[in-house]
Amino acid sequence: MINKEMFQFPIRYTSPIHRIAIGWGVHQTVADECKAAGIKKALIVTTGLKGTGIIDEIRQILTANGVANETYDKVTSNPKDYQVMEAYDVYRNTGCDGVVSVGGGSSHDCAKGLRSVAANKGIYVCDMAAFIDPPWMEEVKKYKPVTIPQVAVNTTAGTGAECTFAAAITNTRVRAKQLLVVPGQTPTVALIDPLLVRLMPKHIAAWTGIDTLAHAFEGYVSKTRVPYTAALMLGVIKIVAENLREFTYNRMNHIACEQMCWAESMGGAGLHFGGGTGIVHGLGHTLSVLTDCHHGLANAVLTIPGERYNQPSCPEKFAEMAQAMGVDIRGLTKMQAADKWFEEMERLLADLNITTGHLHEQFGLQQEDLEHFINTYANSFHHEGNPREFDRAEISQLLEGIF
Ligand SMILES: [Fe+2]
C-alpha cells in the first residue's frame, strides 16, 4: 500500500506547561504550594538525601504551616517498579491526598508513577508503560487521568523531571527502563531552588549537568524537534557550556549554580514541549538498568559514540551546536564545523573526569547483555525521534565498538 503521509511527523502538539518557580529560597514556599493545590496531608517521596538536612527542613516547613505529612524515603537511583508500588501502599495506607517529591528525577518520577497507579486502582505501574508498538497514543486512552497533586522540589540540576509529563521507571521483571505517559502526570508545580541544588556532591553535579546537556543535544538533533524546542535547547547548550565546569568544581559559585538551574528547567520544558531524546538516552537507560549506573553518567559515556553515529544524518545541526558552545565556525565546511561539536564535548567530558565507552571495564557489562540493549531499544520511544533510523546491525556494531 502507498504511504500517503507527506511527512514523518506532520502535526505537532505541545503539552501545557505547569507552574515553575525558580529562585533562591523558593523551597520555603512548599507548604503554601501544597495548600494552593488542595493538599492537606502530603506524602514526601524521596531518596532521603541523607546528610543534607533537606528532608527535615521540608517536613518542618510543612508541619509548621499545617500540612500533615508522611515520608517514603526508599527511592533509589533509576527508580524501580516495586518502589513505586511500595510508595503507593504508603500513600494509600496513611490517608494522604497529595505528594511532595523532593530530589532529582528518581524521586519525581517515582511520585508521578504512584499518582498514576493511585488514579488507576492500584494497577502494576509498568502495565501502563508506553511503547511504539502497540501505539502509545491509543494505549494511554485506557488509563484514568491523574488528579492527585504533586509539588516537586528539585535538588539537582539535571533531569527536568519536575516539569515533564513522562516518568522513567525500571521494570525489574524485564530489565528495562520504561516510560509512563499517563495523562495528568506532570507535577502541579516545580520549585527549583539553587540553595538546595548547590548541596549536590561534585560527581552528581557533573553527571546531572551532562543529563541536562543530553536533553538539549538530543532534542536539538531530534526528528521531532520544532522551533519552540530548538530555541530552548540551543539556549541550554550555551548555558551548560559556560557554567557546568564552574558549578561542578565550586557549587558555591552562585552564578554558575543559578545558571545551571535555568538550563535544567529549560531542558525539561523543551522535552515537555515535544523535543525528544534519542539514542543516547535509549541505550543509556538500558546501561543504567543492567549496571545501576547513574542516569547522567550513562548518558555521558554514550554521548560521543551515540552522536558520532548520528552525525552523518544532520551535520548542520551539530555545526549549530558547536557555535552555541562558543566555537567560531566561519570558514569551515559543514562537516568540519560538525566535528568541532565533538571536540568541545570531548574536552568537557574530560574536564569532568568522565571516560567515554569501555562499558565492560567501567561498569562490568557482559557480552551477552548486548542483545538485550538492541531488543529494548527496538521498541522504545527513543529511536522514534533519533535522526538516524534504527538498524539492528548498525546498533550492534556501535555497541561492540564501545564494549
Ligand atoms: Fe535524562
Side-chain angles (χ1 to χ4, degrees), residues 185-222:
Q185 216 175 221
T186 309
T188 316
V189 58
L191 305 180
I192 303 171
D193 189 340
L195 275 180
L196 306 187
V197 169
R198 70 182 181 181
L199 299 178
M200 275 191 288
K202 178 173 65 180
H203 65 288
I204 300 291
W207 297 347
T208 53
I210 293 293
D211 186 29
T212 284
L213 189 53
H215 300 150
F217 64 71
E218 291 216 276
Y220 195 74
V221 301
S222 174

PDB file of all heavy atoms in Angstrom, residues 185-222:
ATOM      1  N   GLN A 185      -0.012  13.534  34.410  1.00  0.00           N
ATOM      2  CA  GLN A 185       1.099  13.131  35.271  1.00  0.00           C
ATOM      3  C   GLN A 185       2.090  14.261  35.609  1.00  0.00           C
ATOM      4  O   GLN A 185       2.834  14.188  36.583  1.00  0.00           O
ATOM      5  CB  GLN A 185       1.853  12.015  34.549  1.00  0.00           C
ATOM      6  CG  GLN A 185       2.405  10.950  35.424  1.00  0.00           C
ATOM      7  CD  GLN A 185       3.036   9.820  34.627  1.00  0.00           C
ATOM      8  OE1 GLN A 185       2.863   8.685  34.966  1.00  0.00           O
ATOM      9  NE2 GLN A 185       3.778  10.118  33.586  1.00  0.00           N
ATOM     10  N   THR A 186       2.087  15.310  34.808  1.00  0.00           N
ATOM     11  CA  THR A 186       3.022  16.419  35.036  1.00  0.00           C
ATOM     12  C   THR A 186       2.823  16.985  36.449  1.00  0.00           C
ATOM     13  O   THR A 186       1.677  17.206  36.869  1.00  0.00           O
ATOM     14  CB  THR A 186       2.745  17.564  34.026  1.00  0.00           C
ATOM     15  OG1 THR A 186       2.703  17.002  32.724  1.00  0.00           O
ATOM     16  CG2 THR A 186       3.809  18.643  34.088  1.00  0.00           C
ATOM     17  N   PRO A 187       3.899  17.202  37.204  1.00  0.00           N
ATOM     18  CA  PRO A 187       3.731  17.793  38.534  1.00  0.00           C
ATOM     19  C   PRO A 187       2.960  19.120  38.474  1.00  0.00           C
ATOM     20  O   PRO A 187       3.084  19.888  37.518  1.00  0.00           O
ATOM     21  CB  PRO A 187       5.164  18.002  39.010  1.00  0.00           C
ATOM     22  CG  PRO A 187       5.937  16.939  38.302  1.00  0.00           C
ATOM     23  CD  PRO A 187       5.295  16.827  36.944  1.00  0.00           C
ATOM     24  N   THR A 188       2.197  19.378  39.522  1.00  0.00           N
ATOM     25  CA  THR A 188       1.363  20.573  39.586  1.00  0.00           C
ATOM     26  C   THR A 188       2.222  21.836  39.595  1.00  0.00           C
ATOM     27  O   THR A 188       1.897  22.837  38.972  1.00  0.00           O
ATOM     28  CB  THR A 188       0.514  20.532  40.881  1.00  0.00           C
ATOM     29  OG1 THR A 188      -0.002  19.200  41.026  1.00  0.00           O
ATOM     30  CG2 THR A 188      -0.597  21.541  40.862  1.00  0.00           C
ATOM     31  N   VAL A 189       3.302  21.767  40.350  1.00  0.00           N
ATOM     32  CA  VAL A 189       4.213  22.919  40.427  1.00  0.00           C
ATOM     33  C   VAL A 189       5.631  22.406  40.680  1.00  0.00           C
ATOM     34  O   VAL A 189       5.818  21.387  41.351  1.00  0.00           O
ATOM     35  CB  VAL A 189       3.766  23.914  41.530  1.00  0.00           C
ATOM     36  CG1 VAL A 189       3.699  23.270  42.892  1.00  0.00           C
ATOM     37  CG2 VAL A 189       4.670  25.144  41.587  1.00  0.00           C
ATOM     38  N   ALA A 190       6.610  23.087  40.097  1.00  0.00           N
ATOM     39  CA  ALA A 190       8.021  22.735  40.299  1.00  0.00           C
ATOM     40  C   ALA A 190       8.709  23.869  41.052  1.00  0.00           C
ATOM     41  O   ALA A 190       8.559  25.038  40.679  1.00  0.00           O
ATOM     42  CB  ALA A 190       8.698  22.525  38.950  1.00  0.00           C
ATOM     43  N   LEU A 191       9.424  23.523  42.120  1.00  0.00           N
ATOM     44  CA  LEU A 191      10.187  24.514  42.886  1.00  0.00           C
ATOM     45  C   LEU A 191      11.669  24.209  42.701  1.00  0.00           C
ATOM     46  O   LEU A 191      12.144  23.150  43.108  1.00  0.00           O
ATOM     47  CB  LEU A 191       9.809  24.449  44.366  1.00  0.00           C
ATOM     48  CG  LEU A 191       8.324  24.608  44.704  1.00  0.00           C
ATOM     49  CD1 LEU A 191       8.105  24.524  46.217  1.00  0.00           C
ATOM     50  CD2 LEU A 191       7.780  25.924  44.161  1.00  0.00           C
ATOM     51  N   ILE A 192      12.364  25.125  42.076  1.00  0.00           N
ATOM     52  CA  ILE A 192      13.784  24.903  41.762  1.00  0.00           C
ATOM     53  C   ILE A 192      14.600  25.933  42.534  1.00  0.00           C
ATOM     54  O   ILE A 192      14.584  27.124  42.211  1.00  0.00           O
ATOM     55  CB  ILE A 192      14.027  25.015  40.245  1.00  0.00           C
ATOM     56  CG1 ILE A 192      13.118  24.017  39.508  1.00  0.00           C
ATOM     57  CG2 ILE A 192      15.494  24.764  39.922  1.00  0.00           C
ATOM     58  CD1 ILE A 192      13.106  24.175  38.014  1.00  0.00           C
ATOM     59  N   ASP A 193      15.285  25.460  43.554  1.00  0.00           N
ATOM     60  CA  ASP A 193      15.944  26.356  44.495  1.00  0.00           C
ATOM     61  C   ASP A 193      17.455  26.124  44.484  1.00  0.00           C
ATOM     62  O   ASP A 193      17.937  25.084  44.931  1.00  0.00           O
ATOM     63  CB  ASP A 193      15.373  26.081  45.892  1.00  0.00           C
ATOM     64  CG  ASP A 193      15.824  27.115  46.913  1.00  0.00           C
ATOM     65  OD1 ASP A 193      16.843  27.789  46.652  1.00  0.00           O
ATOM     66  OD2 ASP A 193      15.160  27.246  47.951  1.00  0.00           O
ATOM     67  N   PRO A 194      18.229  27.099  44.011  1.00  0.00           N
ATOM     68  CA  PRO A 194      19.683  26.931  44.000  1.00  0.00           C
ATOM     69  C   PRO A 194      20.262  26.642  45.394  1.00  0.00           C
ATOM     70  O   PRO A 194      21.304  25.992  45.510  1.00  0.00           O
ATOM     71  CB  PRO A 194      20.204  28.268  43.453  1.00  0.00           C
ATOM     72  CG  PRO A 194      19.046  28.872  42.745  1.00  0.00           C
ATOM     73  CD  PRO A 194      17.808  28.382  43.422  1.00  0.00           C
ATOM     74  N   LEU A 195      19.565  27.089  46.449  1.00  0.00           N
ATOM     75  CA  LEU A 195      20.035  26.817  47.821  1.00  0.00           C
ATOM     76  C   LEU A 195      20.131  25.318  48.080  1.00  0.00           C
ATOM     77  O   LEU A 195      21.012  24.859  48.814  1.00  0.00           O
ATOM     78  CB  LEU A 195      19.055  27.396  48.849  1.00  0.00           C
ATOM     79  CG  LEU A 195      19.169  28.838  49.270  1.00  0.00           C
ATOM     80  CD1 LEU A 195      18.088  29.161  50.278  1.00  0.00           C
ATOM     81  CD2 LEU A 195      20.553  29.135  49.834  1.00  0.00           C
ATOM     82  N   LEU A 196      19.202  24.546  47.507  1.00  0.00           N
ATOM     83  CA  LEU A 196      19.211  23.095  47.673  1.00  0.00           C
ATOM     84  C   LEU A 196      20.108  22.440  46.621  1.00  0.00           C
ATOM     85  O   LEU A 196      20.839  21.497  46.911  1.00  0.00           O
ATOM     86  CB  LEU A 196      17.791  22.525  47.557  1.00  0.00           C
ATOM     87  CG  LEU A 196      16.709  23.129  48.464  1.00  0.00           C
ATOM     88  CD1 LEU A 196      15.417  22.319  48.339  1.00  0.00           C
ATOM     89  CD2 LEU A 196      17.158  23.186  49.911  1.00  0.00           C
ATOM     90  N   VAL A 197      20.029  22.951  45.406  1.00  0.00           N
ATOM     91  CA  VAL A 197      20.775  22.349  44.289  1.00  0.00           C
ATOM     92  C   VAL A 197      22.281  22.383  44.553  1.00  0.00           C
ATOM     93  O   VAL A 197      23.010  21.460  44.200  1.00  0.00           O
ATOM     94  CB  VAL A 197      20.401  23.074  42.967  1.00  0.00           C
ATOM     95  CG1 VAL A 197      21.332  22.689  41.833  1.00  0.00           C
ATOM     96  CG2 VAL A 197      18.945  22.760  42.598  1.00  0.00           C
ATOM     97  N   ARG A 198      22.752  23.423  45.222  1.00  0.00           N
ATOM     98  CA  ARG A 198      24.198  23.539  45.431  1.00  0.00           C
ATOM     99  C   ARG A 198      24.722  22.543  46.477  1.00  0.00           C
ATOM    100  O   ARG A 198      25.931  22.462  46.693  1.00  0.00           O
ATOM    101  CB  ARG A 198      24.577  24.968  45.817  1.00  0.00           C
ATOM    102  CG  ARG A 198      24.132  25.377  47.200  1.00  0.00           C
ATOM    103  CD  ARG A 198      24.520  26.816  47.457  1.00  0.00           C
ATOM    104  NE  ARG A 198      24.113  27.236  48.791  1.00  0.00           N
ATOM    105  CZ  ARG A 198      24.319  28.442  49.270  1.00  0.00           C
ATOM    106  NH1 ARG A 198      24.920  29.352  48.539  1.00  0.00           N
ATOM    107  NH2 ARG A 198      23.933  28.756  50.492  1.00  0.00           N
ATOM    108  N   LEU A 199      23.816  21.785  47.116  1.00  0.00           N
ATOM    109  CA  LEU A 199      24.257  20.792  48.095  1.00  0.00           C
ATOM    110  C   LEU A 199      24.651  19.457  47.449  1.00  0.00           C
ATOM    111  O   LEU A 199      25.073  18.532  48.142  1.00  0.00           O
ATOM    112  CB  LEU A 199      23.149  20.542  49.135  1.00  0.00           C
ATOM    113  CG  LEU A 199      22.740  21.769  49.954  1.00  0.00           C
ATOM    114  CD1 LEU A 199      21.604  21.428  50.911  1.00  0.00           C
ATOM    115  CD2 LEU A 199      23.931  22.328  50.733  1.00  0.00           C
ATOM    116  N   MET A 200      24.518  19.353  46.139  1.00  0.00           N
ATOM    117  CA  MET A 200      24.936  18.117  45.464  1.00  0.00           C
ATOM    118  C   MET A 200      26.431  17.888  45.615  1.00  0.00           C
ATOM    119  O   MET A 200      27.215  18.826  45.565  1.00  0.00           O
ATOM    120  CB  MET A 200      24.678  18.238  43.951  1.00  0.00           C
ATOM    121  CG  MET A 200      23.307  17.899  43.508  1.00  0.00           C
ATOM    122  SD  MET A 200      23.244  17.787  41.703  1.00  0.00           S
ATOM    123  CE  MET A 200      23.394  19.495  41.219  1.00  0.00           C
ATOM    124  N   PRO A 201      26.836  16.600  45.731  1.00  0.00           N
ATOM    125  CA  PRO A 201      28.268  16.335  45.656  1.00  0.00           C
ATOM    126  C   PRO A 201      28.797  16.608  44.236  1.00  0.00           C
ATOM    127  O   PRO A 201      28.004  16.647  43.289  1.00  0.00           O
ATOM    128  CB  PRO A 201      28.386  14.845  45.999  1.00  0.00           C
ATOM    129  CG  PRO A 201      27.023  14.290  46.068  1.00  0.00           C
ATOM    130  CD  PRO A 201      26.029  15.408  45.971  1.00  0.00           C
ATOM    131  N   LYS A 202      30.112  16.753  44.152  1.00  0.00           N
ATOM    132  CA  LYS A 202      30.742  17.151  42.881  1.00  0.00           C
ATOM    133  C   LYS A 202      30.376  16.234  41.716  1.00  0.00           C
ATOM    134  O   LYS A 202      30.008  16.687  40.636  1.00  0.00           O
ATOM    135  CB  LYS A 202      32.262  17.154  43.108  1.00  0.00           C
ATOM    136  CG  LYS A 202      33.091  17.482  41.905  1.00  0.00           C
ATOM    137  CD  LYS A 202      34.566  17.622  42.277  1.00  0.00           C
ATOM    138  CE  LYS A 202      35.145  16.315  42.771  1.00  0.00           C
ATOM    139  NZ  LYS A 202      36.575  16.411  43.149  1.00  0.00           N
ATOM    140  N   HIS A 203      30.500  14.910  41.929  1.00  0.00           N
ATOM    141  CA  HIS A 203      30.286  13.996  40.808  1.00  0.00           C
ATOM    142  C   HIS A 203      28.816  13.995  40.351  1.00  0.00           C
ATOM    143  O   HIS A 203      28.529  13.869  39.157  1.00  0.00           O
ATOM    144  CB  HIS A 203      30.753  12.574  41.143  1.00  0.00           C
ATOM    145  CG  HIS A 203      29.987  11.902  42.239  1.00  0.00           C
ATOM    146  ND1 HIS A 203      30.097  12.267  43.565  1.00  0.00           N
ATOM    147  CD2 HIS A 203      29.086  10.894  42.209  1.00  0.00           C
ATOM    148  CE1 HIS A 203      29.299  11.504  44.289  1.00  0.00           C
ATOM    149  NE2 HIS A 203      28.680  10.656  43.502  1.00  0.00           N
ATOM    150  N   ILE A 204      27.894  14.204  41.293  1.00  0.00           N
ATOM    151  CA  ILE A 204      26.477  14.245  40.896  1.00  0.00           C
ATOM    152  C   ILE A 204      26.199  15.540  40.131  1.00  0.00           C
ATOM    153  O   ILE A 204      25.420  15.561  39.169  1.00  0.00           O
ATOM    154  CB  ILE A 204      25.544  14.139  42.133  1.00  0.00           C
ATOM    155  CG1 ILE A 204      25.788  12.815  42.881  1.00  0.00           C
ATOM    156  CG2 ILE A 204      24.069  14.242  41.724  1.00  0.00           C
ATOM    157  CD1 ILE A 204      25.341  11.578  42.142  1.00  0.00           C
ATOM    158  N   ALA A 205      26.862  16.617  40.528  1.00  0.00           N
ATOM    159  CA  ALA A 205      26.713  17.884  39.789  1.00  0.00           C
ATOM    160  C   ALA A 205      27.153  17.693  38.339  1.00  0.00           C
ATOM    161  O   ALA A 205      26.496  18.162  37.399  1.00  0.00           O
ATOM    162  CB  ALA A 205      27.524  18.985  40.468  1.00  0.00           C
ATOM    163  N   ALA A 206      28.277  16.989  38.155  1.00  0.00           N
ATOM    164  CA  ALA A 206      28.792  16.769  36.795  1.00  0.00           C
ATOM    165  C   ALA A 206      27.848  15.861  35.998  1.00  0.00           C
ATOM    166  O   ALA A 206      27.481  16.175  34.861  1.00  0.00           O
ATOM    167  CB  ALA A 206      30.182  16.146  36.869  1.00  0.00           C
ATOM    168  N   TRP A 207      27.461  14.750  36.603  1.00  0.00           N
ATOM    169  CA  TRP A 207      26.641  13.776  35.864  1.00  0.00           C
ATOM    170  C   TRP A 207      25.262  14.347  35.532  1.00  0.00           C
ATOM    171  O   TRP A 207      24.754  14.163  34.424  1.00  0.00           O
ATOM    172  CB  TRP A 207      26.475  12.480  36.673  1.00  0.00           C
ATOM    173  CG  TRP A 207      27.764  11.756  36.935  1.00  0.00           C
ATOM    174  CD1 TRP A 207      28.978  11.987  36.346  1.00  0.00           C
ATOM    175  CD2 TRP A 207      27.970  10.684  37.872  1.00  0.00           C
ATOM    176  NE1 TRP A 207      29.918  11.122  36.857  1.00  0.00           N
ATOM    177  CE2 TRP A 207      29.342  10.320  37.779  1.00  0.00           C
ATOM    178  CE3 TRP A 207      27.144  10.000  38.766  1.00  0.00           C
ATOM    179  CZ2 TRP A 207      29.886   9.292  38.566  1.00  0.00           C
ATOM    180  CZ3 TRP A 207      27.688   8.981  39.543  1.00  0.00           C
ATOM    181  CH2 TRP A 207      29.036   8.635  39.435  1.00  0.00           C
ATOM    182  N   THR A 208      24.635  15.009  36.500  1.00  0.00           N
ATOM    183  CA  THR A 208      23.306  15.554  36.228  1.00  0.00           C
ATOM    184  C   THR A 208      23.397  16.707  35.221  1.00  0.00           C
ATOM    185  O   THR A 208      22.492  16.907  34.406  1.00  0.00           O
ATOM    186  CB  THR A 208      22.604  16.031  37.520  1.00  0.00           C
ATOM    187  OG1 THR A 208      23.467  16.936  38.207  1.00  0.00           O
ATOM    188  CG2 THR A 208      22.258  14.878  38.435  1.00  0.00           C
ATOM    189  N   GLY A 209      24.507  17.447  35.260  1.00  0.00           N
ATOM    190  CA  GLY A 209      24.703  18.529  34.287  1.00  0.00           C
ATOM    191  C   GLY A 209      24.784  17.979  32.870  1.00  0.00           C
ATOM    192  O   GLY A 209      24.244  18.562  31.926  1.00  0.00           O
ATOM    193  N   ILE A 210      25.464  16.836  32.716  1.00  0.00           N
ATOM    194  CA  ILE A 210      25.533  16.228  31.384  1.00  0.00           C
ATOM    195  C   ILE A 210      24.163  15.688  30.980  1.00  0.00           C
ATOM    196  O   ILE A 210      23.803  15.691  29.801  1.00  0.00           O
ATOM    197  CB  ILE A 210      26.605  15.112  31.344  1.00  0.00           C
ATOM    198  CG1 ILE A 210      28.005  15.715  31.503  1.00  0.00           C
ATOM    199  CG2 ILE A 210      26.514  14.324  30.034  1.00  0.00           C
ATOM    200  CD1 ILE A 210      28.465  16.590  30.338  1.00  0.00           C
ATOM    201  N   ASP A 211      23.362  15.278  31.940  1.00  0.00           N
ATOM    202  CA  ASP A 211      21.995  14.844  31.600  1.00  0.00           C
ATOM    203  C   ASP A 211      21.207  16.010  31.001  1.00  0.00           C
ATOM    204  O   ASP A 211      20.545  15.876  29.973  1.00  0.00           O
ATOM    205  CB  ASP A 211      21.293  14.296  32.859  1.00  0.00           C
ATOM    206  CG  ASP A 211      19.933  13.702  32.540  1.00  0.00           C
ATOM    207  OD1 ASP A 211      19.750  13.202  31.409  1.00  0.00           O
ATOM    208  OD2 ASP A 211      19.048  13.730  33.421  1.00  0.00           O
ATOM    209  N   THR A 212      21.321  17.168  31.648  1.00  0.00           N
ATOM    210  CA  THR A 212      20.672  18.371  31.101  1.00  0.00           C
ATOM    211  C   THR A 212      21.142  18.634  29.671  1.00  0.00           C
ATOM    212  O   THR A 212      20.345  18.898  28.771  1.00  0.00           O
ATOM    213  CB  THR A 212      21.020  19.594  31.988  1.00  0.00           C
ATOM    214  OG1 THR A 212      20.238  19.519  33.170  1.00  0.00           O
ATOM    215  CG2 THR A 212      20.745  20.901  31.300  1.00  0.00           C
ATOM    216  N   LEU A 213      22.457  18.542  29.487  1.00  0.00           N
ATOM    217  CA  LEU A 213      23.013  18.794  28.153  1.00  0.00           C
ATOM    218  C   LEU A 213      22.522  17.733  27.160  1.00  0.00           C
ATOM    219  O   LEU A 213      22.261  18.036  25.993  1.00  0.00           O
ATOM    220  CB  LEU A 213      24.546  18.802  28.244  1.00  0.00           C
ATOM    221  CG  LEU A 213      25.317  19.242  27.014  1.00  0.00           C
ATOM    222  CD1 LEU A 213      24.851  20.600  26.503  1.00  0.00           C
ATOM    223  CD2 LEU A 213      26.821  19.298  27.318  1.00  0.00           C
ATOM    224  N   ALA A 214      22.382  16.490  27.629  1.00  0.00           N
ATOM    225  CA  ALA A 214      21.912  15.412  26.738  1.00  0.00           C
ATOM    226  C   ALA A 214      20.473  15.669  26.286  1.00  0.00           C
ATOM    227  O   ALA A 214      20.113  15.387  25.149  1.00  0.00           O
ATOM    228  CB  ALA A 214      22.023  14.060  27.431  1.00  0.00           C
ATOM    229  N   HIS A 215      19.638  16.216  27.186  1.00  0.00           N
ATOM    230  CA  HIS A 215      18.275  16.570  26.752  1.00  0.00           C
ATOM    231  C   HIS A 215      18.351  17.606  25.632  1.00  0.00           C
ATOM    232  O   HIS A 215      17.573  17.570  24.689  1.00  0.00           O
ATOM    233  CB  HIS A 215      17.468  17.143  27.921  1.00  0.00           C
ATOM    234  CG  HIS A 215      17.327  16.180  29.052  1.00  0.00           C
ATOM    235  ND1 HIS A 215      17.213  16.571  30.359  1.00  0.00           N
ATOM    236  CD2 HIS A 215      17.310  14.817  29.067  1.00  0.00           C
ATOM    237  CE1 HIS A 215      17.127  15.492  31.123  1.00  0.00           C
ATOM    238  NE2 HIS A 215      17.187  14.429  30.365  1.00  0.00           N
ATOM    239  N   ALA A 216      19.322  18.513  25.777  1.00  0.00           N
ATOM    240  CA  ALA A 216      19.428  19.597  24.794  1.00  0.00           C
ATOM    241  C   ALA A 216      19.982  19.095  23.458  1.00  0.00           C
ATOM    242  O   ALA A 216      19.395  19.354  22.407  1.00  0.00           O
ATOM    243  CB  ALA A 216      20.308  20.712  25.357  1.00  0.00           C
ATOM    244  N   PHE A 217      21.117  18.365  23.489  1.00  0.00           N
ATOM    245  CA  PHE A 217      21.671  17.990  22.182  1.00  0.00           C
ATOM    246  C   PHE A 217      20.825  16.905  21.514  1.00  0.00           C
ATOM    247  O   PHE A 217      20.701  16.883  20.284  1.00  0.00           O
ATOM    248  CB  PHE A 217      23.171  17.661  22.228  1.00  0.00           C
ATOM    249  CG  PHE A 217      23.611  16.470  23.034  1.00  0.00           C
ATOM    250  CD1 PHE A 217      23.340  15.180  22.627  1.00  0.00           C
ATOM    251  CD2 PHE A 217      24.364  16.648  24.195  1.00  0.00           C
ATOM    252  CE1 PHE A 217      23.786  14.086  23.360  1.00  0.00           C
ATOM    253  CE2 PHE A 217      24.805  15.564  24.949  1.00  0.00           C
ATOM    254  CZ  PHE A 217      24.510  14.263  24.513  1.00  0.00           C
ATOM    255  N   GLU A 218      20.216  16.029  22.301  1.00  0.00           N
ATOM    256  CA  GLU A 218      19.353  15.021  21.661  1.00  0.00           C
ATOM    257  C   GLU A 218      18.074  15.667  21.139  1.00  0.00           C
ATOM    258  O   GLU A 218      17.580  15.310  20.073  1.00  0.00           O
ATOM    259  CB  GLU A 218      19.013  13.907  22.647  1.00  0.00           C
ATOM    260  CG  GLU A 218      20.210  13.043  23.006  1.00  0.00           C
ATOM    261  CD  GLU A 218      19.827  11.585  23.200  1.00  0.00           C
ATOM    262  OE1 GLU A 218      19.395  11.241  24.314  1.00  0.00           O
ATOM    263  OE2 GLU A 218      19.954  10.800  22.240  1.00  0.00           O
ATOM    264  N   GLY A 219      17.554  16.619  21.905  1.00  0.00           N
ATOM    265  CA  GLY A 219      16.347  17.325  21.459  1.00  0.00           C
ATOM    266  C   GLY A 219      16.631  18.169  20.219  1.00  0.00           C
ATOM    267  O   GLY A 219      15.772  18.310  19.349  1.00  0.00           O
ATOM    268  N   TYR A 220      17.848  18.738  20.152  1.00  0.00           N
ATOM    269  CA  TYR A 220      18.180  19.618  19.024  1.00  0.00           C
ATOM    270  C   TYR A 220      18.328  18.842  17.719  1.00  0.00           C
ATOM    271  O   TYR A 220      17.948  19.331  16.654  1.00  0.00           O
ATOM    272  CB  TYR A 220      19.455  20.423  19.321  1.00  0.00           C
ATOM    273  CG  TYR A 220      19.616  21.575  18.367  1.00  0.00           C
ATOM    274  CD1 TYR A 220      18.821  22.707  18.478  1.00  0.00           C
ATOM    275  CD2 TYR A 220      20.531  21.515  17.321  1.00  0.00           C
ATOM    276  CE1 TYR A 220      18.921  23.757  17.577  1.00  0.00           C
ATOM    277  CE2 TYR A 220      20.649  22.556  16.414  1.00  0.00           C
ATOM    278  CZ  TYR A 220      19.846  23.681  16.552  1.00  0.00           C
ATOM    279  OH  TYR A 220      19.945  24.712  15.650  1.00  0.00           O
ATOM    280  N   VAL A 221      18.893  17.642  17.795  1.00  0.00           N
ATOM    281  CA  VAL A 221      19.074  16.874  16.549  1.00  0.00           C
ATOM    282  C   VAL A 221      17.878  15.964  16.260  1.00  0.00           C
ATOM    283  O   VAL A 221      17.830  15.305  15.226  1.00  0.00           O
ATOM    284  CB  VAL A 221      20.383  16.024  16.556  1.00  0.00           C
ATOM    285  CG1 VAL A 221      21.594  16.916  16.751  1.00  0.00           C
ATOM    286  CG2 VAL A 221      20.339  14.913  17.606  1.00  0.00           C
ATOM    287  N   SER A 222      16.900  15.941  17.174  1.00  0.00           N
ATOM    288  CA  SER A 222      15.764  15.023  17.043  1.00  0.00           C
ATOM    289  C   SER A 222      14.906  15.324  15.809  1.00  0.00           C
ATOM    290  O   SER A 222      14.728  16.485  15.426  1.00  0.00           O
ATOM    291  CB  SER A 222      14.882  15.130  18.293  1.00  0.00           C
ATOM    292  OG  SER A 222      13.724  14.354  18.123  1.00  0.00           O
TER     293      SER A 222
END
